[in-house]
């Protein structure tokens, strides 16, 4: 898997090894690492919040409660509400097939699932324009039947589904691989039906990993910009998601508005990180 | 045929789950993606070639590859440092710092883009100090590098961290007891162990940086020939309804990413076998 060991939890420091480094080196390196993280990663986050409140609470609330912001929020939630469940069902089905059975071409399937991670967001959006745009494969047929897919809501949902496609499957495959098939087989031998086995054995075993995948998938679906930008018609109040709304406000030089909406997305990002840490800890606990 | 394809098992649900997975994979990923190559193949080669060799496209490739390379190298340096400190040293707030490393994964790219831009413009918090020194970051290629480093850093940290944590401390102790000094232990024992992971982290960061859009377009300023990245040109061509042109640029990028992805997979296999041995 490309991102190494998702469930890595900080173990106790190898104190004997650490003590081999002189204190000056230890503290110097720690300081340097914290400084670079602070500069590269924490400062941008702080900048978002400071600039969101630059014009005070009232301006902030006005920007957040603006009808265009609210409709962007609604579209973002609708997109997440469709894309995430679709990818959860796929993720569970794919992981079940891949980890519990042996069949020819398994590795090919695993590789194919990773594809969307290797594709530029812009290209992820473009492929749907090529299929459903005016000059696309189904373009004239769709026009005849007055169905709009790209530059409309269905295109946004499709592009988001594509971009977040691997997340759940990717979290489940290593987890279910390590759990093996013993417990499921035992359940069957004891007379459980297929669904009973799934809901009483498999699902409880994978619940934290599944939740972890859902969290990552949701965060990405809410924040996706490049792919959605290509397939959205940028129609305010209709085809704008939250990140696209941030761009529009920013390009209109409404900086405090842009950062106010951006701060909502940043809060979600921070919650995601906290949940991620919690779920990593939870999975590590279950393993013990 | 069924037997030779799948090994028999008493577990139920293979066929429904397998068929559903393959169908969904095809509908969402494979068929749409094949549109790029079919579109490219159905366009005239002369037009494709003209597009990918036109001066502004070549300039954008140069910027995208160059900036991704530089950002990848910076990410390797700082990522290694961060991973080292997180794995080996104990300090207050270590868990929180470890969680923060993933912020670039979780923060929407557009948010990162406007935040970085605001920091580095002439009167931004950092730009304010850099401008008098003659260093301009926002709206220059350097700005592109900064945004791509932000995106790339976690890839390196997360690739190196597990390898560093698993590195056998007995090896280090043995080296010390045989009379090696700290620097020798680092350069001859630890560094060779983490080298494949560093390379994987670099490749992941580089591949992501090549296609990155949201965090870059705000800070780049998008001046033709100077700060236009390749993904931006795809968007521009699509907006002009030049689908063939957009496809040509995209095909070059897709082929590059797939080659990179193959390389990464090979590297990871090597890393794993390396870890098994050690």
């Amino acid at each position: 898997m490309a991102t190494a060991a998702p469930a890595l939890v900080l173990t106790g420091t190898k104190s004997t090894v650490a003590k081999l480094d002189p204190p000056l080196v230890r503290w110097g390196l720690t300081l340097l690492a914290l400084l670079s993280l602070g500069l590269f990663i924490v400062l941008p986050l702080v900048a978002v919040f400071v600039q969101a409140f630059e014009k005070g609470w009232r301006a902030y609330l006005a920007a957040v409660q603006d009808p265009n912001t609210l409709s962007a929020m609604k579209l973002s939630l609708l997109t997440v509400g469709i894309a995430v469940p679709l990818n959860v069902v796929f993720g569970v089905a794919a992981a079940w097939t891949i980890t519990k059975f042996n069949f020819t071409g398994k590795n090919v399937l695993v590789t194919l699932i990773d594809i969307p991670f290797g594709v530029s967001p812009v290209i992820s959006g473009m492929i749907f324009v090529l299929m459903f745009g005016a000059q696309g494969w189904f373009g004239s047929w769709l026009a005849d039947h007055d169905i709009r897919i790209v530059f409309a809501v269905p295109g946004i949902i499709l592009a988001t589904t594509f971009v977040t496609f691997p997340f759940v499957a990717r979290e489940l495959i290593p987890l279910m691989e390590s759990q093996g098939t013993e417990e499921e087989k035992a359940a069957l031998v004891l007379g459980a039906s297929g669904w009973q086995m799934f809901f009483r054995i498999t699902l409880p075993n994978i619940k934290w990993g599944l939740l972890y995948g859902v969290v990552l998938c949701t965060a990405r679906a809410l924040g996706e910009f490049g792919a959605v930008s290509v397939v959205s018609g940028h129609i305010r109040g209709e085809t704008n998601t939250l990140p696209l709304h941030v761009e529009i406000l920013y390009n209109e030089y409404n900086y405090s508005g842009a950062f106010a909406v951006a701060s909502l997305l940043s809060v979600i990002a921070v919650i995601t990180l906290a949940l991620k840490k919690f779920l990593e800890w939870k999975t590590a606990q279950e393993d013990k | 045929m069924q037997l030779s394809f799948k090994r028999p098992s008493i577990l139920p649900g293979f066929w429904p789950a397998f068929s559903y997975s393959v169908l969904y994979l095809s509908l969402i990923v494979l068929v749409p993606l094949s549109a790029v190559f079919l579109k490219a193949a159905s366009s005239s080669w002369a037009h494709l070639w003209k597009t990918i060799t036109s001066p502004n496209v070549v300039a954008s490739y140069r910027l995208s590859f160059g900036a991704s390379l530089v950002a990848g190298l910076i990410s390797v340096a700082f990522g290694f440092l961060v991973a080292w400190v997180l794995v080996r040293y104990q300090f207050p707030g270590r868990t929180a710092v470890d969680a923060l490393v993933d912020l670039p994964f979780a923060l929407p790219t557009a948010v990162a883009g406007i935040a970085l831009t605001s920091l580095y413009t002439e009167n931004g918090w950092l730009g304010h100090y850099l401008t008098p020194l003659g260093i301009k970051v926002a709206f220059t290629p350097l700005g592109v590098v900064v945004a791509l480093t932000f995106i790339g850093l976690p890839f390196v940290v997360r690739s190196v961290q597990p390898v560093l944590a698993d590195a056998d401390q007995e090896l280090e102790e043995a080296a010390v007891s045989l009379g090696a000094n700290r620097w020798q232990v680092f350069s001859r024992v630890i560094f060779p162990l983490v080298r494949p992971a560093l390379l994987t982290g670099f490749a992941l960061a580089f591949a992501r940086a090549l296609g990155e859009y949201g965090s870059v377009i705000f800070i780049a300023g998008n001046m033709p020939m100077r700060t236009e990245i390749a993904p931006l040109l795809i968007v521009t061509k699509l907006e002009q309804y030049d689908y063939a042109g957009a496809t040509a640029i995209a095909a070059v990028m897709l082929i590059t990413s797939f080659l990179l992805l193959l390389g990464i997979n090979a590297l990871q296999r090597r890393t794993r076998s390396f870890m098994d041995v050690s």
Side-chain angles (χ1 to χ4, degrees):
Chain A
M1 301 286 99
T3 35
L8 178 84
V9 168
L10 290 179
T11 46
T13 317
K14 296 175 176 173
S15 48
T16 52
V17 176
K19 276 179 193 136
L20 291 173
D21 297 336
L24 197 66
V25 173
R26 234 184 303 161
W27 288 110
L29 289 179
T30 308
L31 220 61
L32 198 62
L34 292 182
L35 205 71
S36 56
L37 276 183
L39 212 64
F40 272 126
I41 288 177
V42 181
L43 204 59
L45 186 66
V46 176
V48 170
F49 289 102
V50 171
Q51 291 177 79
F53 289 106
E54 212 161 41
K55 292 191 175 153
W57 269 102
R58 211 160 290 168
Y60 180 85
L61 287 179
V64 171
Q65 289 171 343
D66 181 88
N68 286 324
T69 310
L70 292 178
S71 78
M73 217 178 283
K74 232 178 274 168
L75 180 57
S76 279
L77 290 178
L78 174 74
T79 309
V80 169
I82 297 175
V84 174
L86 279 177
N87 286 336
V88 165
V89 173
F90 164 75
V92 173
W96 177 257
T97 331
I98 288 168
T99 60
K100 307 283 175 177
F101 299 93
N102 273 315
F103 58 94
T104 330
K106 189 153 130 169
N107 290 330
V108 179
L109 192 57
V110 175
T111 311
L112 290 177
I113 291 174
D114 272 351
I115 284 181
F117 278 156
V119 177
S120 167
V122 168
I123 299 177
S124 311
M126 185 188 87
I127 55 180
F128 293 103
V129 176
L130 290 182
M131 283 183 79
F132 302 115
Q135 308 169 28
W137 288 353
F138 306 112
S140 53
W141 186 87
L142 290 170
D144 289 345
H145 293 76
D146 205 25
I147 304 171
R148 291 180 67 87
I149 292 187
V150 285
F151 314 124
V153 175
I156 292 177
I157 295 171
L158 269 176
T160 307
T161 310
F162 177 93
V163 169
T164 56
F165 179 85
F167 280 93
V168 178
R170 247 232 157 108
E171 288 312 320
L172 288 182
I173 292 170
L175 178 69
M176 288 168 71
E177 191 89 71
S178 70
Q179 287 173 345
T181 55
E182 297 303 315
E183 291 184 40
E184 274 92 357
K185 281 180 182 157
L188 289 177
V189 169
L190 293 171
S193 73
W195 286 116
Q196 276 176 330
M197 170 210 67
F198 178 76
F199 282 109
R200 303 226 184 136
I201 306 292
T202 312
L203 206 55
N205 273 343
I206 63 171
K207 62 175 187 272
W208 298 115
L210 183 63
L211 205 56
Y212 187 84
V214 169
V215 167
L216 297 184
C217 191
T218 307
R220 182 66 195 268
L222 271 179
E224 180 49 36
F225 176 72
V228 171
S229 166
V230 170
V231 294
S232 156
H234 298 279
I235 308 163
R236 231 184 264 228
E238 279 180 44
T239 59
N240 256 349
T241 60
L242 280 176
L244 294 177
H245 192 52
V246 169
E247 184 198 21
I248 289 189
L249 292 173
Y250 187 84
N251 286 342
E252 284 171 346
Y253 304 104
N254 180 358
Y255 293 136
S256 59
F259 279 105
V261 179
S263 74
L264 296 178
L265 290 166
S266 306
V267 169
I268 296 171
V270 173
I271 295 175
T272 306
L273 292 185
L275 273 176
K276 195 165 174 272
K277 208 71 210 154
F278 170 73
L279 291 170
E280 278 173 2
W281 174 77
K282 222 42 193 168
T283 1
Q285 293 263 302
E286 305 261 296
D287 278 355
K288 273 173 199 165
Chain B
M1 183 229 154
Q2 198 164 315
L3 278 178
S4 63
F5 169 69
K6 172 188 163 272
R7 217 178 292 162
S9 162
I10 62 159
L11 292 179
F14 176 78
W15 285 109
F18 176 80
S19 345
Y20 178 75
S21 304
V22 171
L23 180 73
Y24 183 76
L25 173 76
S26 310
L27 283 179
I28 299 287
V29 177
L30 300 181
V31 174
L33 209 57
S34 65
V36 178
F37 294 101
L38 290 175
K39 180 81 189 170
S42 67
S43 318
S44 84
W45 283 101
H47 180 75
L48 292 184
W49 185 248
K50 216 180 118 204
T51 308
I52 57 173
T53 52
S54 71
N56 64 337
V57 174
V58 173
S60 79
Y61 280 142
R62 196 177 299 141
L63 175 66
S64 279
F65 281 92
S68 302
L69 185 74
V70 176
L73 292 174
I74 301 176
S75 301
V76 164
F78 284 102
F80 187 25
L81 172 71
V82 170
W84 176 273
V85 168
L86 281 175
V87 170
R88 297 173 62 108
Y89 304 148
Q90 200 100 50
F91 54 92
R94 195 170 63 135
T95 315
V97 171
D98 183 67
L100 269 176
V101 168
D102 280 332
L103 185 73
F105 286 153
L107 197 68
T109 52
V111 175
I114 64 169
L116 288 170
T117 312
S118 76
L119 287 177
Y120 289 98
T121 47
E122 267 173 47
N123 30 21
W125 293 353
L126 295 173
H128 177 68
Y129 295 105
L130 295 172
T131 316
L133 303 172
I135 305 171
K136 278 198 178 148
V137 180
F139 318 128
T140 68
L142 190 57
V144 179
V145 172
V146 167
L148 295 180
T149 307
F150 175 84
I151 294 298
L153 195 63
F155 285 100
V156 179
V157 179
R158 293 302 181 228
S159 303
V160 175
Q161 227 175 357
V163 181
L164 214 48
D166 278 358
D168 201 342
Q169 67 182 90
E170 279 167 24
L171 279 176
E172 242 177 284
E173 282 161 1
V176 173
S177 71
L178 290 171
N181 64 33
R182 287 307 296 153
W183 177 249
Q184 283 172 324
V185 172
F186 176 77
S187 61
R188 301 222 188 141
V189 178
I190 304 172
F191 190 71
L193 272 176
V194 294
R195 199 167 37 205
L198 278 174
L199 216 55
T200 308
F202 171 80
L204 287 170
F206 182 79
R208 172 71 199 267
L210 264 190
E212 182 55 31
Y213 178 70
S215 59
V216 179
I217 52 159
F218 296 98
I219 201 169
N222 309 327
M223 283 164 285
M225 302 293 294
R226 231 170 78 71
T227 57
E228 275 183 336
I229 52 167
L232 178 77
L233 282 189
I234 297 179
V235 174
T236 315
K237 298 257 182 226
L238 284 175
E239 278 168 0
Q240 295 161 349
Y241 298 103
D242 179 6
Y243 290 0
T247 312
I249 304 174
V252 171
M253 291 184 61
L254 273 181
I255 292 167
T256 322
S257 329
F258 285 155
L259 290 179
L260 269 168
L261 215 67
L262 282 180
I264 293 169
N265 273 334
L267 263 174
Q268 279 180 331
R269 266 197 299 278
R270 255 186 62 191
T271 316
R272 257 197 298 277
S273 58
F274 211 81
M275 283 170 75
D276 288 343
V277 170
S278 65

